[in-house]
Amino acid sequence: MTVDNLKETEEFVSKLEKKCPSEPEFLQAVREVLDSVIPFMKGKKRYKDQAILERLSEPDRVVMFRVVWQDDKNVAQVNRGYRVQFSNVLGPYKGGIRFHPSVNLGILKFLGFEQIFKNSLTGLSLGGAKGGSDFNPKGRSDGEIMRFCQAFMVELSRHIGADVDVPAGDIGVGAREVGYMYGMYRRLSNRFDGTFTGKGPEWGGSLLRPEATGYGVVYFLENLLQQHDRDIDGKRFLLSGSGNVAQHCAAKLLEMGGKVLTLSDSGGFVHEPDGFTAEKLEILREIKNVRRGRIKEYADETGAGFHEDKRPWAVEGDVAIPCATQNEIGEEDANELVKNGVIAVVEGANMPTTYEAVKILDAKGVLFAPGKAANAGGVAVSGLEMAQNSQRLPWSSGKVDKELRSIMDAIHEKCVEYGGRNGCVNYLKGANVGGFVRVADAMVDQGFM
Ligand code: NDP
């Protein structure tokens, strides 16, 4: 990056920081995109004249609301709900709902901003959005979860619709929560129009939607390794997280001959030096999804090594796939990964690598695939779910899988097209510029607004 470009990025971010002083994750996401996009925009006057970057970094609107619900002791509880509708220039707003105590406006703005470029990369007609609440589902009864989801939807239902805004799951929001929210939306709107993806397969959900993000990560990774004359077979993988993305990513890696050495949750990580087997993944699934337990219970039951309050990045492996949350690989972790000879970091989660850690990986020649490209399989199949709902026809899992594969292949191609660098692809640049061009051109075509 030239000094001029760097200066332009810094000026832009510092202006934005004055408007959003307490949104560090949002500023981080914007800075990361600018690093790639500002050099690309040089000489392309139409983007500058139309203030594309300024417009893209301001959401179309933010809805913030009170959610009041009754706990099991009949006491009223109050949480804050949000929907950030960032851009609908390419299609209806689309992006997940997150329930986690860390949720705040800055985190949802970073996620909504990233979602614009990710959804653009899928090639489908999808705008960018994100929503959620600081509600903590951990330890809550099924009745409490249902009442919270219903209360949340009482307000959210006014702002969504099949051609307006179509939410989905994210951290803390899986099939159960989507069911309760969609049920309430249907009741309030008196419409069964598919305004939510990740629905149950018997009531409008797409087959393979639960698996799609994790499988998509592996399809992308397969392309990335092939591009650099390598493959998945026999490689050792370090995964974090043990939720939807991590579980399905691990299962697909196993199927393709990979060795998954680690999985984690916010309490620590488990280490299987010989790799998880399908049977062991099933034990983990039962603990996490059925019993809603902690990963430590997996270690207690199977005798696997458990490392409390630690992340798995110091374990020796070939590829790291963070699948938990933002900023889980910092500078120290990146140095550890480099020291251990990791060849690639592929983001299953959204922005799990800090800005500084990305710079270290890049400087040391570690391939780095950002989440907006690598984890786009989830929203891609959500787009296919919307298509099935419009057709009123369910597709077979074979058809969905084939479409998912071809979308992930096309995203990889786009990264190579915009990020090619003497035989070694800069995936960050490729994904940022590839995602940006389609959105920016659509904004130019559709005029100032
Ligand atoms: P889940 O809720 O199913 O699982 C999240 C996992 O991450 C859990 O193991 C959780 O552990 C762990 N985790 C969450 N917060 C933290 C934290 N602060 N520190 C350490 N571990 C944490 O979520 P998903 O698997 O759906 O999502 C994981 C990531 O993938 C997120 O970044 C999400 O935005 C991204 N993503 C998800 C998509 C999807 O289709 N679901 C699509 C694209 C991206 P614990 O139970 O202890 O909290």
Side-chain angles (χ1 to χ4, degrees), residues 222-297:
E222 195 185 19
N223 276 304
L224 172 146
L225 291 176
Q226 263 170 21
Q227 179 77 24
H228 299 87
D229 302 320
R230 295 181 161 110
D231 63 16
I232 289 177
D233 195 31
K235 296 271 176 320
R236 298 161 304 161
F237 294 91
L238 309 176
L239 269 62
S240 64
S242 50
N244 173 284
V245 179
Q247 286 182 31
H248 295 294
C249 179
K252 188 50 96 179
L253 285 169
L254 239 67
E255 206 183 298
M256 296 174 80
K259 242 186 187 188
V260 176
L261 304 188
T262 64
L263 285 163
S264 72
D265 67 15
S266 51
F269 78 91
V270 284
H271 184 195
E272 289 280 7
D274 296 324
F276 278 84
T277 57
E279 292 70 32
K280 287 187 166 175
L281 280 185
E282 179 51 31
I283 296 174
L284 179 94
R285 192 198 65 80
E286 208 268 334
I287 291 171
K288 295 297 289 190
N289 301 11
V290 182
R291 286 194 247 155
R292 299 189 187 276
R294 313 297 303 148
I295 206 159
K296 184 176 183 307
E297 294 167 37

Side-chain angles (χ1 to χ4, degrees), residues 59 325 378:
T325 192

